[in-house]
Amino acid sequence: MDTTHDTRAPAAQNGGQSQLPQVQEHLPRNPGMPLDVDWVASVQANTSAIERRAATLPGRRSVKKEFQAAWLCKAVSLIDLTTLAGDDTDGRVRRLCAKARQPVSPQILAALGMEGLTTGAVCVYHDMVETAVDALKGTNIPVAAVSTGFPAGLSPFRLRIAEIGESVSAGAAEIDIVISRRHVLTQNWQALYDEMAEMRAACGDAHVKAILATGELGTLRNVARASLVCMMAGADFIKTSTGKEGVNATLPVSLTMIRAIRAYEARTGVKVGYKPAGGISKAKDSLTYLALMKDELGDRWLQPDLFRFGASSLLGDIERQLEHYVTGAYSASWRHGMA
Amino acid sequence: MSVKEIFESMDYGPAPESAKEALAWLEAKGGIAGPWVGGKRGELRADMESRNPATGERLAGLTKCTEAEVNAAVKAARKAQPGWEKLGGHGRAKVLYAIARGMQKQSRLLAVMESLDNGKPIRESRDIDVPLAIRHFYHHAGAAQLFDSEMAGRAPHGVCGQIIPWNFPLLMLAWKIAPALAAGNTVVLKPAEYTSLSAMVFAEICAEAGVPPGVVNLVTGDGETGQALVAAEVDKIAFTGSTEVGRRIREATAGRNIPLTLELGGKSAYIVFDDADIDSAIEGLVDAIWFNQGQVCCAGSRLLVHEAIAEDFHARLKRRMDGLRIGDPLDKCIDVGAIVDPVQLQTIRTLVEGNTAGKTYHAACPLPATGAFYPPTLITGLSPSDPLMQEEIFGPVLVSTTFRTPAEAVELANNTRYGLAATLWTENVNLALDMAPKLAAGVIWVNATNLFDAAAPFGGIRESGFGREGGPEGMRAYTKPAKLAAAPKEQKAFEGDGAPEGGIDRTAKLYIGGKQVRPDGGYSRAVHGPKGALLGHASLANRKDLRNAVEAMNAARGWGKATGHLRAQILYYIAENLSARAEEFAARLNALQGGHKGADEVEASVRRLFTYAAHADRYDGRAAGVPLRGVALAMKAPTGNIAALAPAATPLLGLVSLMAPAIAMGSRVTLVASEPFPLAAMDFYQVLETSDVPAGVVNILTGDHAELAPSFASHMDVDAVWSFSDPALAAGIEKASAGNLKRTWVTQRDFTTPDGEGEDFLEAATEVKTIWIPYGE
């Protein structure tokens, strides 16, 4: 298949480790900065105000017709198509990778003029990295590995660091690490900073996404402060959840984290990416998230080097909406190839 | 644009709500908005027209109702009123419920009509105006259902004239009509000339909801129609609109015994402390000053930001402003719509262009090429003395200054003629709860802004008007006491030329600031008994004494912070000391008035003091049940400086009956003693002197009521004037009160009956202050 669509600059080869693919402008990585505890301590997050803002977001923005179709295609290009289950097998992962290469049926993509659309990445456990890398050979689609004792992050620290190295060696271009929630809950910002910095170093050229597991951090203020500390320690992305917590990505959490990203950029000039994960399963939700990124951070954050959805079932709903746009008739899930 | 091009640009694109249905509705109804009287459409004439401010296109013709048409509407309302009242609480509740349901069924038509006519974004009319209006009818269906128990002893006024503004046409209609109807009133409502269309839809909903003919009447037109309605034979007037027009209504109704509710302009402070969630506070500003294009009476239009964070705050705010989307109000993806009319747009331009102070920043967002649009604007670096810090702009223009300390924030916030709302942002609960009572405003939002609900009272103080809308407080404004005993007849002072009885001469002075003082003018008048005996001399206070009394009240502001328990203790102490001198007072009262009822009057006065001592720590606010995780506290704040003219009859009881509720609630009071029988009051100040009443909390003057009343009513530092004196004083008091739009209460009561005490008095001695505190972690 044609793997280079004209909207995207040449990207790193799958399995290489230098950069994220699919973007026009190559951004410098976040070099991090010394831990600024005063700044961290000054950060506030007023829960009820954030919730009210989040509640009105879907009503404030609306995209229709060809704009909606284009936005949904954009959402597809930003999905980290994910399988993180104990029963994952080579076959299951290869199926997922096939779906990542061809996320929407060729007929629909042709009708939209969007041939060559792929998902942003494939996200798997370490043991599945090699399989995924192999299955995605010849594409621009990077493989992301969850790492560091995912999802709880409570295995011995040296093993967590070693795990990163192994995944990178196996060909993962992106590493989704989990932070130690206890450092946030005890407000041991130095420990969180040191842990994050060491993990970032272990990633080498692979990009690192810091999973905050926001559902376990207790307050939005903690979410905001942990976001800042992880960015100070060099995270390329901050990510909400493992998908395994009781509460995963929500709009209030997202608003809190992207405000932190904005503050970090205002202070350092460095753009950090954002990945909401878990709980985003409807096409309409993905539009709200895109609008949130566009309005709060700007259009630059609508590219895969700065924004990803951690999702699996979202794609199916988007496929149905796209078919509806193309044909005018409401669609059915069994008409679309499963992952 | 192709999908692929949009995939690159990621523009929003148009997302228009269709106007087709609303336009077809207008056409089917003759294309003219006109009167709705007696359950029928009146004569439709295109005397004027209603235009879409976003495009300038004509939407409909508009009938300018004549005086005769207005009077006919009032007549229809008059005819329908007794039947509507007799329908009973449940009967009215069913109709109000049906209206709410009917509005829900037509919610999209109402929303689209509102946006077409007013220019507000469809998101706001769809998600805010229309749902709040519907909620108002649901809530007041409940108020009707429970009317007999919740409003025991109260009755409707009769026919209410209601005049509403163009900024929230349907919502203000709901705020006016729902409580009036719930209480058993009938109404004649005049929508604003710019925005009469949603009221037309509402009229049809009423018909379908089974509102009896004549219960709801609408008269369309402009200011002249409004004047005719104010002049008509109505029993109550409720107005929402500009302070200027509110003042004219106050003057026009002076002396006509018409209860008024005025909800007027504002220049509400928006205070951001250094510990606030800054991004949320900025987002709050979007809801404060760019909601409805800033055409909101309670808009947070005056930003006060802590100096330490001001630079960062303004920088982030400008970035947020740049992201606002301005355009077609019917587009579901815009934030700011059109200014209601080109005239209003010009007013905003003139005000902003006339300003030379500070730095003006217009949001860098594209404006539509045509239509009445104005960019979101921030003017930083202003001082309180700059006109734009004081004048209401009523547009999307935010002015800003900085403060250093919480105390300075309070001073700056209260440095205004208005007093509608205030917003404050801090993560510190101590600071928030300390600030809220100190802010001179009827509504305070903590870490939020522009929250409204039918259960939470809304309204202002100072030149933002008086009266509350929403909740039981709002319901009371549409009721009056069901029955009042006849007040005693006016009495004249006795004349005579007798000589004083034995003893040493006692000089009755004025009582100001805790001291007995001689009158500024140096005049006194002889007071005679019924048989002509000379009982003593009473000082004749003039306007300078009155001024001094107001200064004394100002110096006694701390009384408002005294605990209810302490105020009760002092009232009990006054009662104790009065009781100890009961015989002497009884004798004095008998000597002054004749007869033998002096002892009864003293006893009644002691009881009354006990009554208000009991209320002092008991007449509390309530937590309103608003649909929010948080509380809306409807607090009872002291009214402030009250001037009260005592009735002629029962000179001691009348005086005590006005003093006690005022000071029980933390207000300060200057009493003008019974004109014919002033000496009892002069004896009474000795009781006050021995009862630990702080200086200035109670001041007592004697003199000519007709001379003093207008001076009190025009004094800008008096918050309320009560008169139980000669009814002929009403016109002068009410007219003069228009200066600072103070509350007035001019009535007569028989203070020997239960009419002479109770909730009316407590209500007059307090301002309802609604403090919204959302919470959550």
Side-chain angles (χ1 to χ4, degrees), chain B residues 68-271:
Chain B
E69 285 169 317
V70 169
N71 289 336
V74 172
K75 205 169 154 191
R78 179 75 60 202
K79 191 171 155 210
Q81 198 273 330
W84 177 244
E85 184 180 352
K86 283 198 193 80
L87 193 56
H90 179 58
R92 297 197 299 272
K94 284 193 288 186
V95 173
L96 287 164
Y97 179 77
I99 294 175
R101 283 295 167 116
M103 290 171 79
Q104 253 170 348
K105 289 174 205 162
Q106 297 295 352
S107 60
R108 194 51 61 95
L109 175 62
L110 286 166
V112 173
M113 198 67 89
E114 201 77 324
S115 284
L116 272 177
D117 202 14
N118 165 280
K120 66 175 66 206
I122 185 72
R123 178 193 78 86
E124 293 179 11
S125 44
R126 181 196 64 202
D127 294 350
I128 300 171
D129 294 45
V130 172
L132 279 174
I134 293 169
R135 158 109 178 109
H136 224 78
F137 279 97
Y138 277 126
H139 179 81
H140 285 92
Q145 178 69 30
L146 300 179
F147 187 80
D148 291 340
S149 56
E150 280 195 344
M151 294 283 148
R154 308 289 292 181
H157 290 296
V159 176
C160 302
Q162 306 179 314
I163 301 173
I164 58 171
W166 44 258
N167 57 347
F168 295 91
L170 184 71
L171 184 57
M172 290 302 105
L173 173 149
W175 281 24
K176 294 286 178 283
I177 292 183
L181 261 48
N185 300 281
T186 54
V187 305
V188 178
L189 177 135
K190 191 194 90 68
E193 60 178 289
Y194 293 150
T195 55
S196 300
L197 302 186
S198 54
M200 299 299 111
V201 180
F202 179 79
E204 291 225 332
I205 290 170
C206 284
E208 289 174 6
V211 176
V215 169
V216 172
N217 305 277
L218 304 173
V219 289
T220 50
D222 60 8
E224 284 182 24
T225 309
Q227 272 177 22
L229 181 54
V230 169
E233 290 198 13
V234 292
D235 306 307
K236 151 97 190 170
I237 289 176
F239 170 76
T240 298
S242 71
T243 293
E244 184 197 342
V245 174
R247 194 168 273 137
R248 289 213 297 269
I249 291 175
R250 171 70 287 184
E251 287 168 353
T253 54
R256 286 169 53 199
N257 192 24
I258 294 179
L260 267 189
T261 309
L262 299 178
E263 203 271 272
L264 309 175
K267 189 80 180 176
S268 297
Y270 191 99
I271 307 166

Side-chain angles (χ1 to χ4, degrees), chain B residues 11 32 51 60 100 130 154 214 218 230 243 245 285 308 338 349 357 440 454 562 573 585 614 673 678 686 712 738 777:
Chain B
D11 289 335
I32 296 175
R51 289 182 176 275
V130 172
R154 308 289 292 181
L218 304 173
V230 169
T243 293
V245 174
L285 270 174
R349 281 200 182 124
Y573 198 19
F585 269 88
Q686 294 173 346
F712 269 126
E777 181 63 67

Side-chain angles (χ1 to χ4, degrees), chain A residues 69 113 179 191 293 316:
Chain A
I179 64 163
M293 300 304 289

Side-chain angles (χ1 to χ4, degrees), chain B residues 289-307:
Chain B
I289 185 67
W290 296 303
F291 171 53
N292 202 22
Q293 295 71 246
Q295 302 166 132
V296 184
C297 49
C298 53
S301 53
R302 209 158 41 103
L303 172 64
L304 309 176
V305 57
H306 193 281
E307 207 170 313

Side-chain angles (χ1 to χ4, degrees), chain B residues 458-510:
Chain B
F458 180 92
I461 61 170
R462 297 186 179 170
E463 291 183 32
S464 293
F466 43 76
R468 293 293 178 268
E469 299 185 282
E473 296 84 356
M475 277 296 290
R476 278 186 68 85
Y478 281 101
T479 63
K480 62 181 181 184
K483 225 166 91 183
L484 285 176
K489 282 194 186 127
E490 269 306 299
Q491 286 174 276
K492 291 256 182 300
F494 296 118
E495 295 181 358
D497 51 8
E501 288 164 16
I504 299 173
D505 179 69
R506 275 169 60 192
T507 306
K509 297 182 189 157
L510 306 175

Side-chain angles (χ1 to χ4, degrees), chain B residues 5-6 40 87 122 167 252 308 313 315 362-363 413 469 489 525 540 546 549 557 563 575 578 685 697 707 759 765 771:
Chain B
E5 284 164 339
I6 301 165
K40 288 198 296 275
L87 193 56
I122 185 72
N167 57 347
F313 190 91
H362 296 298
E469 299 185 282
K489 282 194 186 127
R525 90 167 168 84
L540 289 174
L546 173 158
R557 267 179 217 286
T563 63
L578 177 61
Y685 66 58
V697 170
E707 185 190 328
E759 188 154 5
I771 304 173

